[in-house]
């Protein structure tokens, strides 16, 4: 449940509850999430708080939002593992529209930029990659 007196913001609390339902399989890939009206009523939150929680889950690549139909659980794709070698670095940022199209990245999903020690650069959609050493 949501605790307005907790140290954690209510937006984060709602995102955590929904994230847990997604990761547990209670909300399966492709499932429609409860609507804004239902969540505001069920948890006693403002519409803005619900929208912010959904936006947070969208940026994490867990949900996609269709303005006319609602929010859906994203289907998980197998994660590729990118191995970092000595001298390699990685950073995250939002993609340009061209990069988003080329990578097939969802709205709000960041990209990981791998800078190799040899000067080359690789770009990955952050929801489809793991970085390891």
């Amino acid at each position: 449940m949501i605790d307005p007196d907790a140290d954690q913001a209510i937006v984060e609390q709602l995102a955590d509850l929904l994230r847990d339902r997604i990761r547990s399989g209670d909300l399966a890939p492709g499932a429609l999430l409860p609507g804004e009206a239902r969540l505001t009523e069920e948890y006693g939150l403002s519409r803005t708080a619900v929208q912010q929680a959904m936006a947070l889950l969208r940026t994490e690549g867990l949900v996609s939002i269709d303005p006319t139909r609602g929010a859906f659980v994203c289907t998980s794709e197998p994660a590729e593992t990118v191995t970092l070698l000595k001298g390699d670095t990685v950073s995250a940022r939002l993609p340009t529209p061209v990069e988003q199209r080329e990578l097939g990245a969802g709205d709000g999903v960041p990209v990981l930029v791998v800078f190799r020690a040899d000067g080359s650069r690789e770009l990955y959609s952050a929801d489809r990659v793991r970085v390891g050493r």
Side-chain angles (χ1 to χ4, degrees), residues 22-73:
I22 292 168
R23 290 190 175 142
S24 73
D26 181 40
L27 289 169
L32 178 65
L33 274 72
E36 284 180 16
R38 180 171 168 204
L39 291 170
T40 57
E41 183 178 320
E42 185 175 339
Y43 294 106
L45 301 175
S46 70
R47 185 174 173 205
T48 301
V50 171
Q51 290 171 338
Q52 289 174 343
M54 289 296 187
L56 181 59
L57 295 175
R58 182 179 59 94
T59 62
E60 294 173 10
L62 293 175
V63 302
S64 62
I65 299 174
D66 180 324
T68 59
R69 298 180 3 191
F72 294 85
V73 177

Side-chain angles (χ1 to χ4, degrees), residues 108-130:
V109 175
V111 292
L112 296 180
V113 184
V114 177
F115 299 94
R116 298 293 184 181
D118 67 5
S120 64
R121 184 184 81 131
E122 299 165 10
L123 195 65
Y124 300 93
S125 182
D127 62 344
R128 294 188 210 127
V129 71
R130 284 189 206 108

